[in-house]
Amino acid sequence: VDAFQAWCGPCKTVVDLFRKIRNEVGSDLLHFVVAEVDSIDALERYKGKCEPVFLFYAGGELVAVVRGVNAPLLQKTILEQL
């Protein structure tokens, strides 16, 4: 989940990375979504941050968080969680 605030928008630069990884591992294993923290109460703790926050869920549970756009760390985290 790309958790973003309305005033800065979702992190579009990472979409290509997610597409690449999704194509490599198969579409059934990886899903990428964006969520505006300003409109979702459960994400309130991520408000007021100017850096992107990527939340990784498995089985409905939060399993990892990556703050900032760090493509190698995002890719590593995705592959570890899969």
Side-chain angles (χ1 to χ4, degrees):
V1 177
D2 176 3
F4 72 96
Q5 293 188 85
W7 54 269
C8 63
C11 187
K12 296 177 183 175
T13 59
V14 204
V15 172
D16 288 337
L17 172 66
F18 283 105
R19 281 188 185 136
K20 176 183 173 264
I21 294 171
R22 187 172 180 194
N23 287 337
E24 291 173 1
V25 300
S27 61
D28 293 339
L29 297 175
L30 182 63
H31 302 280
F32 177 67
V33 297
V34 295
E36 183 182 330
V37 299
D38 300 317
S39 61
I40 301 173
D41 291 338
L43 298 176
E44 185 173 324
R45 67 178 158 200
Y46 300 105
K47 288 183 182 179
K49 309 286 191 266
C50 65
E51 67 181 349
V53 177
F54 299 92
L55 310 173
F56 295 86
Y57 288 87
E61 299 291 323
L62 181 65
V63 295
V65 176
V66 173
R67 295 183 183 276
V69 179
N70 180 335
L73 180 58
L74 283 167
Q75 183 167 356
K76 178 183 177 212
T77 303
I78 292 167
L79 296 176
E80 285 175 351
Q81 295 305 319
L82 288 175

